[in-house]
Amino acid sequence: EVQLVESGGGLVQPGGSLRLSCAASGFTLSSYWMTWVRQAPGKGLEWVANINPDGNDKDFLDSVRGRFAISRDNARNSLYLQLNSLRTEDTAVYYCARMISGYVPDSWGQGTLVTVSS
Amino acid sequence: EIVMTQSPPTLSVSPGESATLSCRASQSVGYNLAWYQQKPGQAPRLLIYGASKRATGIPARFIGSGSGTEFTLTISRLQSEDFVVYFCLHYNSWWRFGQGTKVEIK
C-alpha cells in the first residue's frame, strides 16, 4: 500500500523557516516524480513545487521561487520542502504527493499544517 | 499563464440523481486534465486523469470527458459520500487547479 506521511509543520513567525518532510513507503520512491501542494484554510488547492526522480530537475510556483527548496533522499525514502522567508500568505496545509502517468498527482499524504503568524 | 475555471461553485442535487461539473481552461490543455474529490479534513483523492481515465478503484459512476478547453465530470446515482468538493487540475506543462465545486444535497 502506498503511504505518504508528512511532518515538520508548526507555528512560525514571518520571516522564519521550516523544513517539511514526507516519508514514503509501499513504492519505489526513486522511480517517481514527486510534488508538494498546499491548501490555505478554507481555500482551494495550489501547486507549490515538483522534483524529478534524480532530484536534478525542479519546478516552483512563482511566489515561492527563491524562498522554498525541494529535495529528496531516495535512499531514506524521503522528500523534503525547505520553507524560508515565510510570509503570512504561506499559511496552509502542505501535502506531498506521488506523480504518475504524465505528472498526475495520485497518492497524497494527510498533510501538515504550517501557520505563519506573529 | 493558464487559468482553470470551475462552474458552478456550488451544485445542489438530490441523492440518486446525476451531477454535471464543468472545468474550463483559458487555453488548450489537450487531455492533461484530472479531477479530484476532497472530503472535509482529508487529502484529495484522484478520480480521473487524462480527461477520461478512471483512477484505480474509482466506480464507473464517475465519468470524465472533454478535451482542449472544456471538460466535464459527471457523477451518476449520487450517494451520500459524493456530497463533497471536487477540483480539476491541469498538469504536465504547468500545474493549475480550479477553485472547486461543492456538491450539496438538494
Side-chain angles (χ1 to χ4, degrees), chain B:
Chain B
E1 178 182 328
I2 294 175
V3 177
M4 307 302 294
T5 303
Q6 289 186 243
S7 61
T10 303
L11 185 60
S12 298
V13 187
S14 300
E17 298 295 311
S18 294
T20 301
L21 288 65
S22 293
C23 178
R24 174 176 292 178
S26 60
Q27 58 186 277
S28 178
V29 298
Y31 293 92
N32 296 319
L33 194 284
W35 289 94
Y36 293 86
Q37 177 191 69
Q38 188 176 31
K39 298 179 179 179
Q42 295 188 18
R45 173 194 182 196
L46 178 64
L47 300 174
I48 301 288
Y49 66 99
S52 62
K53 301 173 184 176
R54 269 188 299 276
T56 303
I58 301 304
R61 304 187 293 108
F62 293 87
I63 299 172
S65 62
S67 65
T69 61
E70 300 284 343
F71 300 89
T72 299
L73 175 68
T74 302
I75 312 169
S76 58
R77 302 183 302 281
L78 277 160
Q79 301 177 1
S80 57
E81 62 266 28
D82 299 333
F83 291 93
V84 291
V85 179
Y86 295 83
F87 294 96
C88 64
L89 167 68
H90 161 54
Y91 60 89
N92 194 13
S93 57
W94 207 242
W95 285 263
R96 287 289 183 268
F97 289 92
Q99 75 278 24
T101 290
K102 179 180 180 181
V103 178
E104 65 176 22
I105 297 175
K106 186 175 182 179

Side-chain angles (χ1 to χ4, degrees), chain A residues 37 39 44-47 50 59-62 65 95 99-106 108-110, chain B residues 1 32 34 36 38 41-46 48-50 87 89 91-92 94-99:
Chain A
V37 174
Q39 187 169 35
L45 299 164
E46 182 175 53
W47 168 76
N50 291 342
D59 287 319
F60 294 93
L61 178 68
D62 283 348
R65 186 175 291 112
Y95 297 99
M99 294 201 284
I100 62 165
S101 302
Y103 314 108
V104 184
D106 71 329
W108 299 58
Q110 85 290 347
Chain B
E1 178 182 328
N32 296 319
Y36 293 86
Q38 188 176 31
Q42 295 188 18
R45 173 194 182 196
L46 178 64
I48 301 288
Y49 66 99
F87 294 96
L89 167 68
Y91 60 89
N92 194 13
W94 207 242
W95 285 263
R96 287 289 183 268
F97 289 92
Q99 75 278 24

Side-chain angles (χ1 to χ4, degrees), chain A residues 38 48-49 60-69 87 90 94:
Chain A
R38 68 185 179 183
V48 174
F60 294 93
L61 178 68
D62 283 348
S63 63
V64 308
R65 186 175 291 112
R67 300 189 298 122
F68 291 8
R87 305 168 180 169
D90 295 319
Y94 284 74

